[in-house]
Short mmCIF file of all heavy atoms in Angstrom, two decimals:
data_model
loop_
_atom_site.label_atom_id
_atom_site.label_comp_id
_atom_site.label_asym_id
_atom_site.label_seq_id
_atom_site.Cartn_x
_atom_site.Cartn_y
_atom_site.Cartn_z
N CYS A 22 4.15 16.74 -18.15
CA CYS A 22 2.77 16.68 -17.65
C CYS A 22 1.91 15.74 -18.49
O CYS A 22 1.02 15.09 -17.96
CB CYS A 22 2.16 18.07 -17.57
SG CYS A 22 1.89 18.87 -19.15
N LEU A 23 2.17 15.63 -19.78
CA LEU A 23 1.39 14.72 -20.62
C LEU A 23 1.66 13.27 -20.24
O LEU A 23 0.74 12.45 -20.17
CB LEU A 23 1.69 14.96 -22.10
CG LEU A 23 1.34 16.34 -22.64
CD1 LEU A 23 1.69 16.44 -24.11
CD2 LEU A 23 -0.10 16.70 -22.40
N ASN A 24 2.90 12.97 -19.97
CA ASN A 24 3.26 11.62 -19.53
C ASN A 24 2.61 11.31 -18.18
O ASN A 24 2.16 10.19 -17.94
CB ASN A 24 4.77 11.47 -19.46
CG ASN A 24 5.19 10.04 -19.24
OD1 ASN A 24 4.63 9.13 -19.82
ND2 ASN A 24 6.18 9.85 -18.39
N ALA A 25 2.54 12.31 -17.31
CA ALA A 25 1.93 12.11 -15.99
C ALA A 25 0.43 11.82 -16.12
O ALA A 25 -0.11 11.02 -15.36
CB ALA A 25 2.17 13.34 -15.12
N ILE A 26 -0.24 12.45 -17.07
CA ILE A 26 -1.66 12.17 -17.30
C ILE A 26 -1.83 10.71 -17.70
O ILE A 26 -2.72 10.01 -17.19
CB ILE A 26 -2.24 13.10 -18.40
CG1 ILE A 26 -2.31 14.53 -17.88
CG2 ILE A 26 -3.61 12.63 -18.86
CD1 ILE A 26 -2.68 15.55 -18.94
N ASN A 27 -0.98 10.24 -18.58
CA ASN A 27 -1.03 8.85 -19.02
C ASN A 27 -0.73 7.90 -17.86
O ASN A 27 -1.40 6.87 -17.69
CB ASN A 27 -0.04 8.63 -20.16
CG ASN A 27 -0.26 7.31 -20.85
OD1 ASN A 27 -1.38 6.89 -21.06
ND2 ASN A 27 0.82 6.65 -21.19
N GLU A 28 0.27 8.23 -17.04
CA GLU A 28 0.61 7.39 -15.88
C GLU A 28 -0.55 7.32 -14.89
O GLU A 28 -0.81 6.25 -14.32
CB GLU A 28 1.86 7.94 -15.19
CG GLU A 28 3.14 7.72 -15.95
CD GLU A 28 4.34 8.37 -15.27
OE1 GLU A 28 4.25 8.70 -14.07
OE2 GLU A 28 5.36 8.55 -15.96
N LEU A 29 -1.23 8.44 -14.67
CA LEU A 29 -2.36 8.45 -13.75
C LEU A 29 -3.47 7.51 -14.24
O LEU A 29 -4.02 6.73 -13.47
CB LEU A 29 -2.91 9.86 -13.57
CG LEU A 29 -4.09 9.99 -12.62
CD1 LEU A 29 -3.69 9.58 -11.20
CD2 LEU A 29 -4.64 11.40 -12.63
N CYS A 30 -3.77 7.59 -15.51
CA CYS A 30 -4.80 6.70 -16.07
C CYS A 30 -4.38 5.24 -15.94
O CYS A 30 -5.20 4.39 -15.60
CB CYS A 30 -5.05 7.05 -17.53
SG CYS A 30 -6.45 6.16 -18.24
N THR A 31 -3.11 4.96 -16.18
CA THR A 31 -2.60 3.59 -16.04
C THR A 31 -2.72 3.11 -14.60
O THR A 31 -3.14 1.99 -14.34
CB THR A 31 -1.14 3.52 -16.52
OG1 THR A 31 -1.08 3.94 -17.88
CG2 THR A 31 -0.58 2.12 -16.39
N LEU A 32 -2.36 3.97 -13.65
CA LEU A 32 -2.46 3.61 -12.23
C LEU A 32 -3.91 3.34 -11.83
O LEU A 32 -4.19 2.39 -11.10
CB LEU A 32 -1.89 4.72 -11.35
CG LEU A 32 -0.38 4.79 -11.22
CD1 LEU A 32 0.02 6.07 -10.48
CD2 LEU A 32 0.15 3.58 -10.50
N LEU A 33 -4.81 4.18 -12.30
CA LEU A 33 -6.21 4.01 -11.94
C LEU A 33 -6.81 2.75 -12.55
O LEU A 33 -7.68 2.12 -11.96
CB LEU A 33 -7.03 5.23 -12.38
CG LEU A 33 -6.76 6.52 -11.62
CD1 LEU A 33 -7.51 7.67 -12.26
CD2 LEU A 33 -7.13 6.38 -10.15
N SER A 34 -6.34 2.37 -13.73
CA SER A 34 -6.91 1.20 -14.39
C SER A 34 -6.22 -0.11 -14.02
O SER A 34 -6.72 -1.18 -14.33
CB SER A 34 -6.88 1.39 -15.91
OG SER A 34 -5.55 1.54 -16.35
N ASP A 35 -5.09 -0.02 -13.32
CA ASP A 35 -4.36 -1.22 -12.91
C ASP A 35 -5.05 -1.84 -11.70
O ASP A 35 -5.12 -1.26 -10.63
CB ASP A 35 -2.92 -0.85 -12.57
CG ASP A 35 -2.06 -2.06 -12.24
OD1 ASP A 35 -2.56 -3.20 -12.29
OD2 ASP A 35 -0.87 -1.86 -11.93
N SER A 36 -5.57 -3.04 -11.89
CA SER A 36 -6.32 -3.70 -10.82
C SER A 36 -5.44 -4.12 -9.65
O SER A 36 -5.92 -4.35 -8.55
CB SER A 36 -7.06 -4.91 -11.37
OG SER A 36 -6.14 -5.84 -11.90
N THR A 37 -4.14 -4.20 -9.84
CA THR A 37 -3.25 -4.62 -8.76
C THR A 37 -2.93 -3.46 -7.81
O THR A 37 -2.55 -3.71 -6.67
CB THR A 37 -1.93 -5.20 -9.30
OG1 THR A 37 -1.25 -4.21 -10.06
CG2 THR A 37 -2.20 -6.42 -10.15
N THR A 38 -3.07 -2.22 -8.26
CA THR A 38 -2.74 -1.09 -7.38
C THR A 38 -3.89 -0.71 -6.47
O THR A 38 -3.67 -0.37 -5.32
CB THR A 38 -2.31 0.15 -8.20
OG1 THR A 38 -3.35 0.48 -9.12
CG2 THR A 38 -1.02 -0.08 -8.92
N SER A 39 -5.11 -0.74 -6.95
CA SER A 39 -6.30 -0.46 -6.16
C SER A 39 -6.14 0.80 -5.30
O SER A 39 -6.05 0.74 -4.08
CB SER A 39 -6.64 -1.65 -5.27
OG SER A 39 -7.85 -1.44 -4.61
N ILE A 40 -6.12 1.94 -5.96
CA ILE A 40 -5.96 3.22 -5.28
C ILE A 40 -7.28 3.61 -4.63
O ILE A 40 -8.33 3.61 -5.28
CB ILE A 40 -5.52 4.31 -6.27
CG1 ILE A 40 -4.13 3.96 -6.83
CG2 ILE A 40 -5.52 5.68 -5.63
CD1 ILE A 40 -3.72 4.79 -7.99
N SER A 41 -7.22 3.94 -3.35
CA SER A 41 -8.43 4.34 -2.63
C SER A 41 -8.70 5.83 -2.86
O SER A 41 -7.81 6.58 -3.27
CB SER A 41 -8.27 4.08 -1.14
OG SER A 41 -7.34 4.98 -0.57
N ALA A 42 -9.91 6.24 -2.56
CA ALA A 42 -10.27 7.66 -2.66
C ALA A 42 -9.41 8.49 -1.71
O ALA A 42 -8.99 9.60 -2.05
CB ALA A 42 -11.75 7.85 -2.36
N PHE A 43 -9.13 7.94 -0.53
CA PHE A 43 -8.28 8.65 0.43
C PHE A 43 -6.90 8.91 -0.16
O PHE A 43 -6.38 10.02 -0.07
CB PHE A 43 -8.15 7.85 1.73
CG PHE A 43 -7.13 8.42 2.67
CD1 PHE A 43 -7.43 9.51 3.45
CD2 PHE A 43 -5.84 7.88 2.75
CE1 PHE A 43 -6.48 10.06 4.31
CE2 PHE A 43 -4.90 8.41 3.60
CZ PHE A 43 -5.21 9.51 4.38
N GLU A 44 -6.29 7.89 -0.74
CA GLU A 44 -4.96 8.05 -1.33
C GLU A 44 -4.99 9.05 -2.47
O GLU A 44 -4.10 9.89 -2.60
CB GLU A 44 -4.44 6.70 -1.84
CG GLU A 44 -4.14 5.70 -0.75
CD GLU A 44 -3.93 4.29 -1.27
OE1 GLU A 44 -4.59 3.92 -2.27
OE2 GLU A 44 -3.12 3.58 -0.66
N PHE A 45 -6.03 8.97 -3.28
CA PHE A 45 -6.18 9.87 -4.43
C PHE A 45 -6.25 11.32 -3.97
O PHE A 45 -5.59 12.20 -4.52
CB PHE A 45 -7.43 9.47 -5.21
CG PHE A 45 -7.58 10.17 -6.52
CD1 PHE A 45 -6.81 9.82 -7.60
CD2 PHE A 45 -8.53 11.18 -6.66
CE1 PHE A 45 -6.96 10.47 -8.82
CE2 PHE A 45 -8.69 11.82 -7.88
CZ PHE A 45 -7.91 11.46 -8.95
N ILE A 46 -7.05 11.58 -2.95
CA ILE A 46 -7.22 12.94 -2.43
C ILE A 46 -5.99 13.39 -1.65
O ILE A 46 -5.54 14.52 -1.78
CB ILE A 46 -8.50 13.04 -1.58
CG1 ILE A 46 -9.71 12.87 -2.48
CG2 ILE A 46 -8.56 14.36 -0.82
CD1 ILE A 46 -11.01 12.68 -1.75
N HIS A 47 -5.43 12.48 -0.84
CA HIS A 47 -4.27 12.82 -0.02
C HIS A 47 -3.06 13.23 -0.87
O HIS A 47 -2.27 14.08 -0.45
CB HIS A 47 -3.90 11.65 0.89
CG HIS A 47 -2.78 11.94 1.83
ND1 HIS A 47 -2.93 12.79 2.91
CD2 HIS A 47 -1.50 11.52 1.85
CE1 HIS A 47 -1.78 12.87 3.55
NE2 HIS A 47 -0.89 12.11 2.93
N CYS A 48 -2.92 12.65 -2.02
CA CYS A 48 -1.80 12.98 -2.92
C CYS A 48 -2.07 14.25 -3.74
O CYS A 48 -1.28 14.60 -4.60
CB CYS A 48 -1.52 11.82 -3.87
SG CYS A 48 -0.75 10.43 -3.06
N GLU A 49 -3.20 14.90 -3.47
CA GLU A 49 -3.59 16.15 -4.13
C GLU A 49 -3.83 15.97 -5.63
O GLU A 49 -3.66 16.90 -6.41
CB GLU A 49 -2.55 17.25 -3.87
CG GLU A 49 -2.39 17.59 -2.41
CD GLU A 49 -1.36 18.67 -2.16
OE1 GLU A 49 -0.68 19.09 -3.10
OE2 GLU A 49 -1.26 19.09 -1.00
#
Side-chain angles (χ1 to χ4, degrees):
C22 67
L23 298 180
N24 190 41
I26 291 172
N27 193 39
E28 288 176 17
L29 180 63
C30 188
T31 301
L32 281 172
L33 291 173
S34 61
D35 185 1
S36 61
T37 61
T38 57
S39 186
I40 296 169
S41 70
F43 171 79
E44 293 167 326
F45 189 75
I46 292 169
H47 184 72
C48 287
E49 299 179 354

